[in-house]
Amino acid sequence: MPASKREEGIQADASSSAPQLPLVDRRSALAFMGVAMTSSWTLPQPAQAAFTPPPQGFRAIVDKLDGYTFVYPERWLAVTSSGNDCFLRNPLNIDENVFVDISSPSSSRFNSVTDLGTPEQTAERILEQYLNKEFMSTRIGIKREGSVLGASQREGPGGRVYYDVAIRITSYASRNPYVATQSEVMRDYGLEWDRILLTTLSVANKRLYELRLQTAKDTYDTSKANLDAIRNSFVVNEVEVEGLAQLTSHTLSRGCQPLQQAAAMTCGRLYLVSASSCAAIVI
């Protein structure tokens, strides 16, 4: 048989034996391509599915890089120059704020918050740090006093242990700091400020996490509900490095620059979620 005839026969046999695929018109093909392109731009679902919407009037912060979450009143504003991992302040009460501090991964290896001792021992250590370091003043005629108001232990999600500590710090200033003798300085003191500091501690990723709330003593009772909501919402968790890398690279490759800038104004590298919208923003 001539080659041309043999080739035609082979082609005929192949075409007759091959499965017959349904024909797809141009409109259906374009529609299919549109669905495929849309699905490829969708953020990974696990990041949003893990969220519980915050209470009404609150926003939620979920830091996927460092592994912590908490809610805060939606009117509070970010302070970007504090040096803390995250710092928020009540614009209607300058004495009221919250920040998160995390120990260095290279200088600390904690297994549990119980490594610090009992809640009471931890509270006394924090009080000593406040009086002898953080709130120590070199000004003439300044006296600082403090007391532990409470220290307790509780179990959070996943059985993780949390310590809650409440401390009161009071500052007094002499009305005559430049008089001749120390006894005269100590004779006439007046109240400078009086604050309540609420600290919640826990451990994850071998690091110590501290959420600290501060408010003035005279506004504590009116602010207590909000402060309790913040500290009770504080949760630390193990960082999932692989999932984070996938989510970050996926989001950044989609060019979400306006969303990144909006989130950066509240706390860098965070997801921001409000009660009215469960959409997440990643940096």
Side-chain angles (χ1 to χ4, degrees), residues 11-238:
Q11 292 174 1
D13 292 341
S15 61
S16 62
S17 62
Q20 298 298 312
L21 299 177
L23 295 177
V24 180
D25 61 18
R26 182 173 179 271
R27 180 173 297 179
S28 299
L30 291 174
F32 174 79
M33 291 174 62
V35 171
M37 291 177 64
T38 302
S39 63
S40 69
W41 282 66
T42 304
L43 284 174
Q45 294 304 311
Q48 294 188 22
F51 263 140
T52 299
Q56 190 67 34
F58 286 79
R59 295 184 185 275
I61 290 182
V62 179
D63 190 328
K64 289 290 186 178
L65 289 182
D66 289 315
Y68 66 85
T69 73
F70 68 94
V71 302
Y72 68 95
E74 59 185 4
R75 292 186 177 182
W76 287 28
L77 303 175
V79 178
T80 59
S81 59
S82 70
N84 301 106
D85 196 73
C86 183
F87 192 108
L88 299 159
R89 171 169 288 161
N90 182 355
L92 303 180
N93 180 356
I94 61 174
D95 289 327
E96 199 164 87
N97 58 63
V98 60
F99 70 79
V100 175
D101 194 31
I102 311 173
S103 66
S104 170
S106 61
S107 62
S108 64
R109 303 291 293 178
F110 291 93
N111 294 313
S112 170
V113 71
T114 56
D115 293 348
L116 300 175
T118 66
E120 292 76 16
Q121 292 171 334
T122 303
E124 291 295 337
R125 190 176 297 114
I126 292 174
L127 175 60
E128 182 179 354
Q129 177 182 325
Y130 287 167
L131 293 177
N132 297 328
K133 185 176 179 181
E134 293 192 32
F135 293 102
M136 185 178 67
S137 176
T138 57
R139 291 159 50 200
I140 298 175
I142 298 297
K143 180 174 66 174
R144 302 272 162 82
E145 296 180 351
S147 60
V148 175
L149 301 179
S152 61
Q153 175 179 323
R154 59 183 169 87
E155 187 175 293
R160 199 179 302 275
V161 178
Y162 291 78
Y163 283 177
D164 293 318
V165 174
I167 289 176
R168 180 180 179 181
I169 301 291
T170 307
S171 178
Y172 299 93
S174 173
R175 295 185 177 89
N176 297 295
Y178 300 108
V179 291
T181 65
Q182 182 67 17
S183 61
E184 291 177 304
V185 172
M186 301 293 292
R187 187 181 304 153
D188 189 15
Y189 264 88
L191 179 66
E192 186 178 32
W193 49 258
D194 192 359
R195 297 172 185 164
I196 303 292
L197 294 97
L198 307 175
T199 300
T200 295
L201 301 161
S202 193
V203 167
N205 307 294
K206 302 296 184 180
R207 305 170 71 183
L208 179 65
Y209 291 70
E210 175 188 1
L211 177 135
R212 187 198 297 179
L213 287 154
Q214 175 184 286
T215 190
K217 174 62 171 64
D218 57 0
T219 60
Y220 174 71
D221 291 338
T222 57
S223 301
K224 188 177 185 302
N226 281 346
L227 301 178
D228 287 344
I230 296 171
R231 72 188 310 198
N232 291 332
S233 71
F234 184 57
V235 175
V236 302
N237 49 71
E238 301 300 321

